[in-house]
Amino acid sequence: MQKQKSYQIEPTEGVLYVVPTPIGNLEDITIRALNTLKKVDLIAAEDTRHTKKLLTHFDIHCPLISYHEHSQLTKIDTLVTSLNEGKSIALVSDAGMPAISDPGTPLVQAAIEQDIPVVVLPGANAALCALVGSGLRTDHFYFYGFLPRKNKERKEAFLSLYQQQSTIILYESPHRLTMTLEDIQRYLGNRRIAIARELTKRFEEYVRGTVDQVLEWVEHGTLKGEFCIIIEGSQNLVNEESNWWEDLTINQHVEHYIKADQLPSKMAIKQVAKDRGVPKRDVYQSYHVE
C-alpha cells in the first residue's frame, strides 16, 4: 500500500506535476497551472514547439524536454532520475489533461513505482466538455478514446461497445470521422449521437441527432479540427435474468438481433451464445450449417 499527502510533501522532494493545458482557448488555463509551470525545474512536453508558444504567451521561462509516444521509453529513466534528485517536473500535453489518450501514463506509473509524489491539477478536458454539451445522459459514461485502426481489433471494440449501456465517448480525427460514423451505424445501430469539434475555439460546433442525420451533415459540413463523438448507450439490452427468448429457436433468436438490433450475424451469434450459455460454435453451426 502507498499513501500520499499532496500538501505535506517535503520541499526537498522531487514532484511530478500533471498539468492540464487549454484545449483551444488560452483563457481556460488556471492560475494554479500557471504558477506551477513557473516554479518547476523542468517541463516535459508532448511537442516542445507547441508548448513553447503557450509559455511565451504567459511569459514563462522554464527548460523544456520532449516526451512523446516515440521517445517515452528513452526519456522515462532520465526524468525519474531527475525527480529522485529532488527536481520538480511538470508533465503537459499539447492540449487538455496529460495521460488521457496520450503517452503520459507510463511516466506517472514510473514515478509512483519509485514513491515519487504525483500531483494532478484539474483543468480543461475535451471529453467532458463534449459529454455535457451533447445533451445525452451524463450520470454514467464510458470513455474509450481513439478506436483501433486494424479491422479485426476495430470490430472487437465495437462488439464490446454494443453491450455498453452508459453513454460512450470517442475521439476521432477529421479524416477518419466519416468511416467511424459509418461503423457506428453498422455495429451499434441508428442511435442518438452528438459530435463536437473545435471545442472552446472560435469555430466551436456541436451537431446532435441520430447517426443517419449526422452522416447527412458530414456530406456538407466542415470536417476540420479534432472531434469528440458522444454516443447514446445501448437501450436494447434485456435483463439477463429474463429468458425472453425461451420460445424461440436458435435461428429465430439470431434473426431477432439481426433485425431488431441491426447487428451483423457474427455479433448476433455471439450474443445468442451468451444469452443461452452455450458455445458460440454451436450457435454458428445451427445458424449457418444445419
Side-chain angles (χ1 to χ4, degrees):
M1 184 178 73
Q2 185 187 74
K3 294 177 67 176
Q4 172 186 310
K5 292 184 179 293
S6 299
Y7 287 90
Q8 296 179 21
I9 298 170
E10 294 295 328
T12 56
E13 282 190 87
V15 180
L16 177 63
Y17 293 95
V18 181
V19 183
T21 55
I23 58 176
N25 192 321
L26 294 180
E27 293 182 1
D28 291 332
I29 199 164
T30 67
I31 294 174
R32 185 182 174 198
L34 291 174
N35 288 336
T36 300
L37 294 174
K38 290 176 182 178
K39 77 176 183 180
V40 294
D41 299 300
L42 185 66
I43 297 174
E46 187 176 3
D47 185 333
T48 54
R49 295 167 299 179
H50 185 91
T51 301
K52 185 66 176 176
K53 295 177 182 177
L54 176 72
L55 300 182
T56 300
H57 181 84
F58 289 106
D59 194 28
I60 297 173
H61 307 280
C62 181
L64 286 168
I65 184 173
S66 64
Y67 175 82
H68 48 75
E69 61 179 336
H70 302 297
S71 71
Q72 57 179 329
L73 295 179
T74 59
K75 294 293 178 65
I76 286 178
D77 288 344
T78 300
L79 294 170
V80 169
T81 297
S82 295
L83 289 164
N84 278 322
E85 292 173 349
K87 294 182 179 178
S88 58
I89 298 175
L91 173 65
V92 301
S93 67
D94 288 347
M97 177 67 77
I100 300 296
S101 290
D102 86 0
T105 300
L107 179 57
V108 172
Q109 292 172 336
I112 291 173
E113 289 172 2
Q114 294 284 323
D115 286 325
I116 296 167
V118 177
V119 177
V120 182
L121 278 61
N125 178 265
L128 293 181
C129 287
L131 172 66
V132 173
S134 71
L136 298 175
R137 289 183 56 180
T138 60
D139 52 346
H140 297 286
F141 57 89
Y142 178 77
F143 175 78
Y144 188 94
F146 288 99
L147 289 162
R149 295 195 176 189
K150 294 182 179 179
N151 289 335
K152 181 180 179 181
E153 295 173 356
R154 195 173 176 88
K155 288 180 181 179
E156 290 174 352
F158 274 111
L159 180 60
S160 66
L161 291 175
Y162 175 78
Q163 308 294 334
Q164 185 59 245
Q165 291 181 289
S166 302
T167 304
I168 301 163
I169 306 174
L170 303 178
Y171 285 160
E172 194 52 274
S173 60
H175 67 280
R176 297 176 64 85
L177 179 66
T178 300
M179 180 183 72
T180 294
L181 289 173
E182 290 173 347
D183 282 346
I184 292 170
Q185 184 184 55
R186 180 182 301 113
Y187 293 111
L188 305 185
N190 192 32
R191 301 187 186 185
R192 291 189 300 156
I193 66 170
I195 61 174
R197 74 176 190 94
E198 297 288 81
L199 287 172
T200 77
K201 300 178 185 177
R202 179 183 177 187
F203 297 105
E204 176 178 290
E205 184 173 20
Y206 284 89
V207 181
R208 308 176 182 93
T210 63
V211 181
D212 287 348
Q213 291 170 333
V214 174
L215 274 170
E216 288 182 11
W217 172 84
V218 164
E219 294 181 7
H220 309 288
T222 302
L223 302 187
K224 292 182 180 180
E226 295 301 312
F227 285 83
C228 288
I229 305 175
I230 313 298
I231 309 168
E232 180 180 41
S234 175
Q235 304 297 307
N236 298 318
L237 294 183
V238 180
N239 188 328
E240 292 180 359
E241 297 179 357
S242 174
N243 295 337
W244 57 270
W245 41 264
E246 282 185 338
D247 294 331
L248 301 179
T249 65
I250 287 179
N251 289 3
Q252 289 172 334
H253 196 170
V254 174
E255 287 295 329
H256 166 82
Y257 282 119
I258 292 174
K259 294 177 181 179
D261 294 347
Q262 301 180 3
L263 286 184
S265 61
K266 183 178 179 180
M267 295 175 68
I269 288 169
K270 185 170 184 177
Q271 184 60 41
V272 169
K274 180 180 178 182
D275 287 349
R276 293 174 177 260
V278 299
K280 187 170 64 174
R281 63 177 178 274
D282 292 351
V283 180
Y284 182 92
Q285 179 79 9
S286 174
Y287 187 73
H288 284 297
V289 180
E290 295 179 358

